[in-house]
Amino acid sequence: MKFVNYNPAEMLGFTRLTEVQDQEIWQHLLTPQVKALIGPITVHGVPQILETLAGQFPGDHATNLNSHRLYAGSQDYVRFPYLSTLHKTQHGALVIKRDAAKIKAMCWVGDVMLGTAELVYIAALRDRQHDGTKRANDSALLLYPYDDPKYHRRLHTGLRSAEVSIYSFLPGSRVLDATGEPEFDKFIEMPFSFLDRPQLFRDYFQRAWKTKRAPGQFAAAIQDVSKLCPPGFEVIAKSKGYDLLECATSHYHVAQWLKGRGYRYSYTEDQTTIDQLTAGIKRIKSAGVPLTRQQESWVCVIQSLRPTELIPDGLYLNGPLWPQDNVGPELLWMNKPLNERAATLIPSAVQFE
């Protein structure tokens, strides 16, 4: 008799990311400025096994995107238990969470136990092996599902792939802090969610256009994160045998930032759309309209506004639409091979069928 060899732990969803240690996260994913904001660790935490949506303090929570009903029908629990480690720091806290498919580091400034702390940093790596199925939702990075079989399918089933996610926020820099307007703050964070109110979208767009905030950037970024985090992700991913890093790209300025760090558009259709948007932005500049990096992203966002008559004069690009609105399932995937095998198996862009 000849038995088929297989890896039961991997098939059940336990990935190599579960092996990443806190020391590695502190060393490779927390930048000097992030560490300066939270201060040195004063009390090293002990990993807690949790299965509730509520975490270890107010504002700390998990997700139940599949709406599992556990323990007499309650949705206040997650399907699979996870580890949560709370390291107290001089100025706040570092929380590291792990489940079978992801690691997630969150930094807080202030007293987390009193509920007065502010989230300033999120860095996460998530294994994509279950993407396109409901199982992926049980390890989602954010409040966003990954089960759509078309838009969330894996780029190559023969490669180990991990999604990266980075967010940073300088304390006290939210649009809400400056304006006291929760709705305008929400528009900056998720502008596409306002498309069903076109006149309000237009009004908020005109206000956002005059700021230095890009779409999605509801707080000022921590300066060294964009430079130092991508190499840190690569170090960790390579050490655990991953072939490929991927990112779902929210806005034009993010795509340009990733492109400058060696990421490529995964699908030719997206590459064509970005090329059209880039050409349109160049035409606007050639016509004598100066655009900041943030305004370039806003130009891409406003192409989705209907009726098109509401789009300000000189900004309509006659067709191309930004692919990812963070509302529907469609994502703009970009990827970066980490070894020669991945670079060979993944062409510069593939046809999305």
Side-chain angles (χ1 to χ4, degrees), residues 243-300:
D243 305 298
L244 191 70
L245 287 181
E246 298 186 75
C247 185
T249 312
S250 56
H251 293 287
Y252 183 79
H253 65 284
V254 180
Q256 296 303 304
W257 167 67
L258 286 171
K259 185 178 178 181
R261 280 147 186 82
Y263 281 74
R264 315 174 301 180
Y265 298 105
S266 296
Y267 299 108
T268 54
E269 291 84 350
D270 291 330
Q271 175 73 70
T272 299
T273 298
I274 303 303
D275 288 345
Q276 292 172 342
L277 289 167
T278 300
I281 290 170
K282 288 182 178 178
R283 287 197 301 271
I284 293 173
K285 290 182 175 181
S286 298
V289 180
L291 296 177
T292 65
R293 179 180 62 87
Q294 295 87 350
Q295 288 172 335
E296 291 179 354
S297 270
W298 283 113
V299 167
C300 296

Side-chain angles (χ1 to χ4, degrees), residues 16 154 156-162 237-238 240-246 335-343 345-346:
R16 297 183 181 184
R154 295 170 61 189
H156 196 291
T157 57
L159 297 172
R160 295 184 184 275
S161 172
K238 287 179 180 179
K240 303 308 175 188
Y242 282 84
D243 305 298
L244 191 70
L245 287 181
E246 298 186 75
N335 72 82
K336 182 174 185 179
L338 298 178
N339 53 44
E340 191 61 36
R341 177 170 177 263
L345 291 175
I346 303 294

Side-chain angles (χ1 to χ4, degrees), residues 34-316:
V34 171
K35 291 176 181 176
L37 284 171
I38 66 173
I41 294 176
T42 56
V43 180
H44 285 275
V46 177
Q48 304 291 315
I49 300 176
L50 301 178
E51 54 184 350
T52 56
L53 293 185
Q56 299 192 63
F57 54 85
D60 181 38
H61 57 81
T63 59
N64 182 8
L65 299 185
N66 287 329
S67 300
H68 297 294
R69 295 182 177 273
L70 306 175
Y71 303 110
S74 173
Q75 293 187 39
D76 296 332
Y77 297 86
V78 294
R79 182 183 179 192
F80 300 113
Y82 60 94
L83 285 179
S84 178
T85 308
L86 169 59
H87 298 286
K88 293 184 178 180
T89 67
Q90 186 177 19
H91 306 304
L94 163 64
V95 178
I96 297 175
K97 291 186 178 181
R98 292 179 178 80
D99 59 27
K102 74 172 182 289
I103 54 172
K104 187 175 182 179
M106 292 158 286
C107 295
W108 300 75
V109 171
D111 194 322
V112 294
M113 304 314 294
L114 291 179
T116 58
E118 185 174 355
L119 181 64
V120 298
Y121 181 69
I122 305 172
L125 270 171
R126 184 187 67 88
D127 192 293
R128 293 200 64 204
Q129 67 171 303
H130 293 295
D131 278 21
T133 71
K134 286 287 187 181
R135 174 65 178 83
N137 293 346
D138 293 316
S139 296
L141 286 177
L142 301 171
L143 292 171
Y144 192 90
Y146 289 89
D147 59 314
D148 189 284
K150 178 181 179 181
Y151 293 115
H152 301 154
R153 66 186 181 185
R154 295 170 61 189
L155 189 59
H156 196 291
T157 57
L159 297 172
R160 295 184 184 275
S161 172
E163 179 189 7
V164 302
S165 181
I166 317 170
Y167 296 89
S168 68
F169 325 97
L170 280 174
S173 68
R174 284 196 69 137
V175 171
L176 180 61
D177 297 327
T179 65
E181 299 179 51
E183 191 174 61
F184 183 54
D185 181 89
K186 190 65 177 179
F187 173 79
I188 299 292
E189 181 181 2
M190 294 189 65
F192 292 105
S193 66
F194 284 73
L195 287 173
D196 59 344
R197 293 159 284 175
Q199 189 57 57
L200 181 62
F201 181 102
R202 162 69 183 250
D203 294 342
Y204 280 157
F205 170 85
Q206 290 180 315
R207 290 179 59 185
W209 184 261
K210 299 174 183 178
T211 72
K212 292 184 178 181
R213 295 295 169 84
Q217 195 178 53
F218 58 85
I222 299 172
Q223 290 299 313
D224 66 351
V225 167
S226 63
K227 179 180 180 180
L228 299 180
C229 271
F233 280 127
E234 293 178 29
V235 169
I236 289 179
K238 287 179 180 179
S239 72
K240 303 308 175 188
Y242 282 84
D243 305 298
L244 191 70
L245 287 181
E246 298 186 75
C247 185
T249 312
S250 56
H251 293 287
Y252 183 79
H253 65 284
V254 180
Q256 296 303 304
W257 167 67
L258 286 171
K259 185 178 178 181
R261 280 147 186 82
Y263 281 74
R264 315 174 301 180
Y265 298 105
S266 296
Y267 299 108
T268 54
E269 291 84 350
D270 291 330
Q271 175 73 70
T272 299
T273 298
I274 303 303
D275 288 345
Q276 292 172 342
L277 289 167
T278 300
I281 290 170
K282 288 182 178 178
R283 287 197 301 271
I284 293 173
K285 290 182 175 181
S286 298
V289 180
L291 296 177
T292 65
R293 179 180 62 87
Q294 295 87 350
Q295 288 172 335
E296 291 179 354
S297 270
W298 283 113
V299 167
C300 296
V301 168
I302 205 169
Q303 301 310 307
S304 297
L305 182 60
R306 295 295 180 272
T308 57
E309 288 75 19
L310 288 174
I311 299 177
D313 293 341
L315 298 187
Y316 183 47

